Amino acid sequence: LADFEQGVIGLINDVETAYWELYFAYRSLEAQVDGRENALKTWQRVSELQKVGARGGEADAEAQARSQYYLFSVQVNDALSGTNGLYAAEQRLRYIMGLPPSDGNLMKPADDPTQAEVQYDWQSALSTALTQRVEVRRQKWNIKRRELELCAARLNRRPRLDAVTQYRWRGLGDHLIGDRSPGNSFESLYQNILEGDY
């Protein structure tokens, strides 16, 4: 039961973590796209200044602006399809939820994180945790099991005396039924049993 509860709690935690990682991947992609667009505008402005020969349009400034644009383009591609990119975050969430890897749709989180300040009642949370946490209950069960093992060990320490006895009647004879001849006590099986000599 404790393992099942722990598994459910772990699954819920994994789904929630993957959900917010996907949310972060979307926000990161948006920031990288905004940076790329601004770098493109800067490059275009410096390029126009270079064409008219105005101050700020030197070749090195144009090369630096172009380099910044290409750097942001690479970062956008990485934020979209890199190891920790948007597609990878969506695949992790789909895998945890048991959904197919691709169904023609792209998952997008609908909720934003709460911006309000949260005040926790730590005493209530502590008392709830001590009574309902799976790990604490499992430890209590382990302690109870160890106490019962200790009690059994104390009971096994007492002296013990076992006595086993056995009494049998044996029927020895050459024939099942018959007269016993003198001097031959093994002639009749039933007669031998009834006498109880053996």
Side-chain angles (χ1 to χ4, degrees), residues 15-31:
V15 168
E16 186 176 356
T17 302
Y19 177 86
W20 291 116
E21 284 178 357
L22 182 60
Y23 179 87
F24 173 75
Y26 269 104
R27 297 305 160 259
S28 176
L29 178 63
E30 289 174 4

Side-chain angles (χ1 to χ4, degrees), residues 32-44 47 59-79:
Q32 298 297 337
V33 167
D34 287 344
R36 183 187 65 182
E37 296 304 318
N38 289 334
L40 177 62
K41 289 177 186 175
T42 302
W43 179 27
Q44 289 171 344
S47 189
D60 60 340
E62 190 273 336
Q64 184 178 7
R66 183 180 41 197
S67 171
Q68 285 293 323
Y69 169 73
Y70 288 132
L71 176 67
F72 274 105
S73 292
V74 169
Q75 290 176 352
V76 167
N77 290 337
D78 191 45

Side-chain angles (χ1 to χ4, degrees), residues 1-196:
L1 178 64
D3 290 340
F4 174 74
E5 288 182 28
Q6 187 69 38
V8 170
I9 291 169
L11 175 65
I12 292 170
N13 186 38
D14 291 345
V15 168
E16 186 176 356
T17 302
Y19 177 86
W20 291 116
E21 284 178 357
L22 182 60
Y23 179 87
F24 173 75
Y26 269 104
R27 297 305 160 259
S28 176
L29 178 63
E30 289 174 4
Q32 298 297 337
V33 167
D34 287 344
R36 183 187 65 182
E37 296 304 318
N38 289 334
L40 177 62
K41 289 177 186 175
T42 302
W43 179 27
Q44 289 171 344
R45 189 171 348 117
V46 170
S47 189
E48 289 297 321
L49 290 174
Q50 185 182 20
K51 286 180 186 175
V52 296
R55 185 169 183 243
E58 295 83 14
D60 60 340
E62 190 273 336
Q64 184 178 7
R66 183 180 41 197
S67 171
Q68 285 293 323
Y69 169 73
Y70 288 132
L71 176 67
F72 274 105
S73 292
V74 169
Q75 290 176 352
V76 167
N77 290 337
D78 191 45
L80 187 61
S81 59
T83 307
N84 294 321
L86 178 74
Y87 294 147
E90 189 211 11
Q91 287 298 315
R92 279 192 298 271
L93 182 60
R94 284 180 175 273
Y95 176 75
I96 292 171
M97 292 174 60
L99 297 174
S102 176
D103 58 2
N105 296 320
L106 189 63
M107 296 175 69
K108 184 170 184 179
D111 298 330
D112 291 332
T114 304
Q115 299 293 327
E117 182 179 353
V118 178
Q119 300 268 338
Y120 291 103
D121 182 10
W122 292 110
Q123 295 302 324
S124 173
L126 178 63
S127 64
T128 302
L130 289 176
T131 57
Q132 295 183 3
R133 287 289 295 194
V134 176
E135 298 88 356
V136 175
R137 283 188 287 133
R138 180 182 285 155
Q139 286 295 55
K140 286 180 182 177
W141 293 334
N142 284 338
I143 291 170
K144 184 67 177 173
R145 185 179 71 194
R146 296 295 184 205
E147 287 174 351
L148 292 174
E149 288 174 358
L150 181 62
C151 181
R154 286 183 182 150
L155 291 176
N156 286 337
R157 205 174 46 171
R158 295 180 180 164
R160 179 174 168 180
L161 176 63
D162 292 337
V164 178
T165 61
Q166 187 173 11
Y167 185 81
R168 294 185 181 157
W169 289 83
R170 301 279 185 201
L172 305 173
D174 293 335
H175 302 286
L176 183 63
I177 300 173
D179 291 333
R180 200 171 73 169
S181 54
N184 186 2
S185 60
F186 300 109
E187 182 68 27
S188 169
L189 176 106
Y190 282 124
Q191 188 69 30
N192 191 272
I193 288 175
L194 292 175
E195 290 178 359

